[in-house]
Each structure stands twice: as C-alpha cells, then as structure tokens.
Amino acid sequence: MEPFVFFGGKGGVGKTTVSCAYGLRCARDGHRTLVVSTDPAHSVTDVFDQPFDDTPEPVAGIDRLDAMQLDPEDEVTRHLDEIRQDLSEQVSAAMVNEINRQLEMAHGTPGAYESALFDRFVDVMRNSESYDRVVFDTAPSGSTLRLLGLPDLLESWIDRLMYKRRTSIDLFEKAAIGNNEPRRVMEGDPVLARLEERKEFFDFAGKALQDDAAFFIVLNPDELSLNETERSIADLREKEFAVRGLVANKLTPSPDPDENGRGARYLRDRVETERAHLETIREEFDPPLVAEIGWRVAEVKGDLLSDVADELDIETSVEAPTHV
Amino acid sequence: MELADRIEAFRRTLSEWLRGLYHGMISHPAYEKIEKEAEDAEDAFLLACFPDAFGIPSPVSYYTAELLPYLEDEFEAWERRLWDRGTYLERKGQQYHF
C-alpha cells in the first residue's frame, strides 16, 4: 500500500487512537514508521504517555516507531518569523513598519492555519526518506479536506500571479529608453523565483497526495458521524483521492444473554441501533469497513493500544513513494 | 571660422534639436505610456497578491506574504499610486499630453 496514510473523520471519533494503533502495527511488522499528529490537544502525547514536539522522536518501548506533533499556531508564528527575518535583511527600516502591517494581516486570514499545516505535511512527506511509512492523524474533516484540495487551487493561483508579474516586468523592460536601466528585470527576479519555488512545492504536493497517499475515515456508529463520513467520501472523491476504507470506532459491547437489568437492556438497544448503522455502512458505502473497534473502559494506551492494533484489518505492506 | 566649421556646428545643433523634438514628441510619451501600463500591470499583480489590504480574504496571502521582503519598492509605489489616483479615468488621462 501507499507510503503515506491519512486518517480523517469528525472530531472526537478517535482518529488519534486509530492512527497510533496503525503506526504501532506497521512498526511491529518491521516498517520504520512515523506518526504525525496535528491535533492541538496533544493526544499523541497522551496515547504514548510521552511528550512530543515538532521534531520526530522515537516512541519509548516500541522499535521503529517515531512520533511528532504539529501545532498550527506555532507553525504560523514560525513562518511569520522567517519572513520578518528576510524583511530585516532586505528592506529599509522606514518601510519595515509599513510592510509589517500587511504581513500581520496576511497571517490573520482564516486560511493561515490550514496553509501552515499543509506546508508542514508536505515538508514531512518530502523529507521522509528515513521512514517506510508516514501516518498522518489529521485535523477534523472539514478543514482537512480543504487542506488536501489546496494544491490544485494554489497552483493555478500562482500561475496567474507569475503571468501578471512577467507582463509587468516585460513592459518595464520595454519602457527603458535607450541605454537606461529598466526599473525591473526579468533575469533573476527574486519574486518570480519565489513564486516558481512555491509552484514546484504545490506540484509535488498534488502528485504525492494523488499517487502516494491512502485515505481512511474513522467514524462512530451514529447518525451524525455517518452523514459526515458520506460527505467526506464524496468530497475526497471529487478531488480524485480514493478512500481506501472506513474504521468504525467506539462500538458498544453487548451484554451477556442471561443479563436483564436496566444497564443490560440499555446496552442491548444501543448495540441494536449500532448494528443497523453498521449495516448501512456495509451496504450503502463504497469503501469497505476495515475495522470494528469496541469501546474501551480505560484510556487507550499501552497494552490496550496493542489490542486495538490487532483489530485493525489494514494491510501494512509498503510501496516506495513515486515522487519523493 | 571656416565655412566648413560653421556648417558642422549648425548641423550639430540641428541634429540635437531634432533628436530632442523627436524624443519629446514621439519617443518619450510612448515610453511613458508603456511605463504607466507596466505600473498598471504591477498594480494588478500586487492587488492579486494582497487583496486582504482591501478587506478581501485571499487563500494565498499566507504564501504571497513571503514575497513582501522582495517587493519593497513596488509596495511603496503601489500604495502611493493608490492614494494619488482619483479615478481610473484620471490615471488613463495622465498618459496623454494635450
């Protein structure tokens, strides 16, 4: 299967648990694996009982498994600082203030978080030589989908920007009289170079997501989760990403047949409803249901995580990436 | 002064005048027009890069912000031109010398 695996789904369905369990499984099967989480709630830290930050670090006690945790807020700040650094090197002090205002506005736009995460995702994919498999535990589905739809959109944007820039430089060159120096020159224009760099970046991202990534959606057996999953599948398909499978998490355990107390009756009803939902998934949804994971009483970590990993029926074999 | 020298001096003055006239009447306005056109194209580029300066959110402004350090002159001139421009018609009108 593809080297990059994405787990998505509604908030709170257990994406992190499933991602970590799958990462564990891959590692156990002998693949060098990295789990990347974008959850600002630091759930990976909770699952492995070990603090992680934005550099990959080995998970204690499990061979071949590394994990890292991305914080969109930190990423946006880092990007901002990088530009500020450039700014102070290139721009005269008088203009810095002026430009700074524009800069802060750009980083306050609603898309900034998504862009920052996207950048880091692609960065991780690009520099993944030391891993056989990278598992992405993505943010809740709405924003993730927008995230994955970015390359196409942005590439054409950048194209248009480059066209505009070229037109104006071309005119400036023509407007230079006789031996006068034109106000802008095409050769070595840093703006065009930057745009070109970005274009390549999006191009790589688009190809890698298209050819080297597999998508799974985690869901709970309830109405809301089902509806959201249906929408996500349609959205992903529209972007021509195939959803490889669905993972049903947090299934209610059924009581023993001889039990008949209030709790047992409640559980039995609940199991019945869930069975109906699972039935719908099997019949009406196209991607296969690859795992059914029951509720755990305790937090899923340690041995429990290993149990969950056993329940995942997702293959772990790895193909080499085609675009890295 | 020899006659030849005088003719030579006269020719030099004449050609300088002619060049000046040609430059003032034909080439300079033409180049100026192209330059203004180039500025307009640059304005369109900057507007596409930073529409949030006008309150229009853009999916790319996070990325185009990376260009800001290299756009110092352009950015300043852009802002100045925008302030100084009454109407688009006025800007176009400036390109003609009646």
Side-chain angles (χ1 to χ4, degrees), chain A residues 79 83 86-87 90-92 95 98-99 102-103 105-107 109 115-116 118-119 154 157 161 165 168 171-172 174-175 177 183-184 190-191 194 198, chain B residues 23 28 31 34-35 37-39 41-42 44-45 48-50 52-53 59-72 74-76 79 81:
Chain A
H79 189 245
I83 300 178
D86 272 5
L87 213 58
Q90 304 269 343
V91 174
S92 64
M95 269 308 280
E98 200 61 46
I99 291 182
Q102 179 60 43
L103 193 56
M105 204 143 50
H107 281 71
T109 51
S115 306
F118 180 78
D119 270 14
L154 295 183
W157 246 102
L161 285 181
R165 177 76 180 170
S168 82
L171 285 167
F172 273 121
K174 286 181 180 136
I177 306 172
R183 265 160 73 185
R184 320 248 182 279
V191 173
R194 265 288 164 124
R198 268 292 169 199
Chain B
H23 177 73
H28 184 69
Y31 284 123
I34 298 176
E35 188 142 85
E37 194 64 46
E39 282 175 1
E42 192 169 277
F45 169 76
C49 280
F50 309 108
D52 41 347
V60 291
S61 51
Y62 180 84
Y63 296 110
T64 49
E66 290 170 7
L67 306 175
L68 280 169
Y70 306 97
L71 286 173
E72 178 182 12
E74 285 96 324
F75 200 77
E76 197 186 358
E79 282 196 325
R81 284 199 294 268

Side-chain angles (χ1 to χ4, degrees), chain A residues 46-64:
Chain A
D46 294 338
V47 172
F48 292 123
D49 252 339
Q50 181 187 335
F52 292 100
D53 55 14
D54 61 353
T55 43
E57 235 169 289
V59 177
I62 303 169
D63 288 341
R64 294 179 294 271

Side-chain angles (χ1 to χ4, degrees), chain B residues 12 14 19 22 34 53 98:
Chain B
R12 221 178 299 133
L14 184 67
R19 213 178 320 126
Y22 180 75
I34 298 176
F98 295 112

Side-chain angles (χ1 to χ4, degrees), chain B residues 71-88:
Chain B
L71 286 173
E72 178 182 12
D73 301 341
E74 285 96 324
F75 200 77
E76 197 186 358
W78 180 50
E79 282 196 325
R80 210 177 36 239
R81 284 199 294 268
L82 288 179
W83 286 332
D84 160 80
R85 184 182 300 177
T87 62
Y88 191 64

Side-chain angles (χ1 to χ4, degrees), chain A residues 133-152:
Chain A
R133 162 141 295 137
V134 184
V135 182
F136 291 95
D137 165 25
T138 66
S141 39
S143 52
T144 311
L145 288 177
R146 252 178 301 151
L147 199 74
L148 301 175
L150 279 176
D152 247 13

